[in-house]
Amino acid sequence: MDISPIKKLATKKRGRKPKSIDNHQTRRIEPYKNTLPQHSNKKKIEVLVWITQIRIPLPQSIARPGYARPTVTPPDDGLPPVEPGYRRPTYAEAAEFFKIPRSTIGRWWRRRDDILQGHYGTYKSSRPEKPQLKTCGIVSHA
């Protein structure tokens, strides 16, 4: 007979009982697929040219019929000024027309020089050039 004052209670294990390896379901491992759209360089150029070439007429002014004035002073973007009564499309209008996110079009516009020259998005431009190792002229004679 056990006379110890502390009785050990049988502890119940939490959770499911482990399955044998034979009962495990195997799952096929698939490679990672990027769900973001990949836009070609041709598409980027098309959007940038559309923004620079398209002119949108401004609404006629109520105060002075026949005179449409721009709402804000355009930033100096290196493009020729637009004729009076017209404006360039905004990123939001380009995004709606091409069904591309506005932030993407804005990013393309900021990098338009590289895109139009064909450097943006290529492996060569995204990686710095490796310096060529110079030979020091030491020759070992074995």
Side-chain angles (χ1 to χ4, degrees):
M1 203 164 152
D2 189 20
I3 57 172
S4 69
I6 301 174
K7 286 188 175 181
K8 290 188 178 181
L9 298 174
T11 57
K12 188 174 179 184
K13 292 185 179 179
R14 293 177 172 243
R16 299 185 306 192
K17 294 186 178 183
K19 292 181 180 179
S20 67
I21 293 180
D22 298 333
N23 293 340
H24 281 247
Q25 291 181 351
T26 57
R27 207 172 54 151
R28 184 173 175 219
I29 299 173
E30 296 180 4
Y32 171 75
K33 292 180 184 176
N34 191 354
T35 58
L36 296 175
Q38 302 291 322
H39 301 288
S40 66
N41 205 26
K42 182 179 176 183
K43 185 69 165 182
K44 294 174 189 177
I45 292 172
E46 181 184 356
V47 171
L48 293 174
V49 168
W50 186 84
I51 290 174
T52 58
Q53 298 299 321
I54 294 296
R55 303 290 184 262
I56 297 174
L58 290 171
Q60 298 296 322
S61 173
I62 298 171
R64 294 177 63 189
Y67 177 74
R69 57 189 171 95
T71 55
V72 294
T73 306
D76 184 25
D77 53 6
L79 297 174
V82 182
E83 333 43 80
Y86 292 92
R87 66 172 176 83
R88 288 196 179 87
T90 62
Y91 298 154
E93 292 167 339
E96 184 180 333
F97 185 80
F98 287 102
K99 306 292 188 262
I100 297 173
R102 187 175 64 87
S103 59
T104 303
I105 293 176
R107 190 177 325 116
W108 293 350
W109 184 256
R110 287 190 301 272
R111 299 173 181 163
R112 66 185 179 275
D113 295 333
D114 292 336
I115 291 173
L116 294 174
Q117 291 175 3
H119 298 302
Y120 180 69
T122 60
Y123 178 77
K124 186 174 184 179
S125 68
S126 62
R127 305 280 286 212
E129 292 257 348
K130 284 187 178 179
Q132 296 294 326
L133 296 176
K134 295 180 182 178
T135 57
C136 58
I138 299 175
V139 180
S140 63
H141 297 285

